[in-house]
């Protein structure tokens, strides 16, 4: 049971827009701790996708965007492409646990 | 571009100590924070701990009693020791460089990971 809750899977057709939610609590996301997102292609290491809730590292397409409100955060992917098929993880800091915590991951399938 | 590479035994016996090293190339290990993260097969990510190049550390409370992370700036390496391992410690272990944000720590660059299996 992860501290941050993500849907196990989402899917969409090429060109569509999908969102992945990350739900936390008052001790992590709700405590004004930043949320970061990572993309993990099959068999590879995670890669930083979004940091500080909504910032994209250099090289990440602007089809990827992040937002945060209250105790939740979201990752949106527009103009879905086959290469976006991957697992996506959110990450934040939990004050009660004094630990960095991850969501359980969401598998994105491009139909 | 900084690159990280994990190395160490792929098989460890129960109750023994898991030891891994992360070698950093393309940049100095100084002036950065560095972290270890693991991922059991088919499961999610778990933060293990981090170290500053000066040697100060912070560990996941759930693993703190068994974990030691150290740094060797002369070799541009940092290491992970996890003692008294059980099958539950079987995972892919990743090392990563941390980018400090405004009050947060971001796992900016990751190594490819190394699978460690705990089995007799």
């Amino acid at each position: 049971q992860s501290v941050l809750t993500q849907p196990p899977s989402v899917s969409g057709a090429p060109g569509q827009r999908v969102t992945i939610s990350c739900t936390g609590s008052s001790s992590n996301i709700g405590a004004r701790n930043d949320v970061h997102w990572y993309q993990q292609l099959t068999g590879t290491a995670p890669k930083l996708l979004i940091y500080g809730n909504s910032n994209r590292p250099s090289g990440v397409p602007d089809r990827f965007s992040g937002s945060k409100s209250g105790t939740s955060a979201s990752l949106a992917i527009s103009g879905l492409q086959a290469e976006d098929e991957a697992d996506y993880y959110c990450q934040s800091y939990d004050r009660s646990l004094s630990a960095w915590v991850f969501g359980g991951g969401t598998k994105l399938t491009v139909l | 571009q900084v690159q990280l590479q994990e190395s160490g035994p792929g098989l460890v016996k129960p109750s023994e100590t898991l030891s891994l090293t992360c070698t950093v190339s393309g940049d100095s290990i100084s002036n950065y924070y560095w972290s270890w993260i693991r991922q059991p097969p088919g499961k999610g990510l778990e933060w293990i701990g981090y170290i500053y190049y000066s040697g100060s550390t912070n560990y996941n409370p759930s693993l703190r009693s068994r974990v030691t992370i150290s740094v060797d700036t002369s070799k541009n390496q940092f290491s992970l020791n996890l003692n008294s391992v059980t099958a539950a410690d079987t995972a892919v272990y990743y090392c990563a460089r941390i980018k400090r944000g405004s009050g947060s720590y971001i796992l900016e660059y990751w190594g490819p990971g190394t699978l460690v299996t705990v089995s007799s």
Side-chain angles (χ1 to χ4, degrees), chain A:
Chain A
Q1 191 81 1
S2 301
V3 173
L4 304 179
T5 301
Q6 299 179 234
S9 63
V10 298
S11 62
Q16 285 189 333
R17 180 179 185 269
V18 298
T19 61
I20 298 172
S21 61
C22 175
T23 303
S25 69
S26 57
S27 65
N28 41 67
I29 298 175
R32 300 185 180 181
N33 292 310
D34 284 347
V35 177
H36 317 302
W37 292 89
Y38 302 89
Q39 177 193 58
Q40 186 175 33
L41 300 173
T42 302
T44 69
K47 166 194 166 187
L48 179 64
L49 195 65
I50 297 286
Y51 68 94
N53 307 317
S54 59
N55 301 291
R56 283 186 310 276
S58 173
V60 173
D62 59 6
R63 302 186 295 105
F64 295 90
S65 62
S67 63
K68 173 187 158 184
S69 178
T71 59
S72 295
S74 290
L75 172 70
I77 310 171
S78 60
L80 209 55
Q81 300 180 3
E83 66 204 50
D84 299 332
E85 193 162 280
D87 292 325
Y88 292 85
Y89 292 90
C90 60
Q91 178 233 323
S92 188
Y93 178 77
D94 191 286
R95 294 185 177 182
S96 297
L97 298 172
S98 296
W100 299 352
V101 291
F102 289 92
T106 298
K107 181 173 184 58
L108 168 63
T109 300
V110 180
L111 302 170

Side-chain angles (χ1 to χ4, degrees), chain B residues 42-85:
Chain B
K43 295 188 179 180
L45 301 164
E46 180 182 30
W47 170 65
I48 299 172
Y50 68 72
I51 188 166
Y52 192 43
Y53 79 100
S54 63
S56 61
T57 55
N58 190 13
Y59 302 134
N60 188 326
S62 68
L63 297 169
R64 182 174 291 141
S65 63
R66 299 194 293 130
V67 172
T68 302
I69 298 176
S70 58
V71 65
D72 187 336
T73 54
S74 67
K75 295 182 178 179
N76 234 36
Q77 295 176 334
F78 63 105
S79 298
L80 168 69
N81 275 356
L82 179 66
N83 59 38
S84 305
V85 297

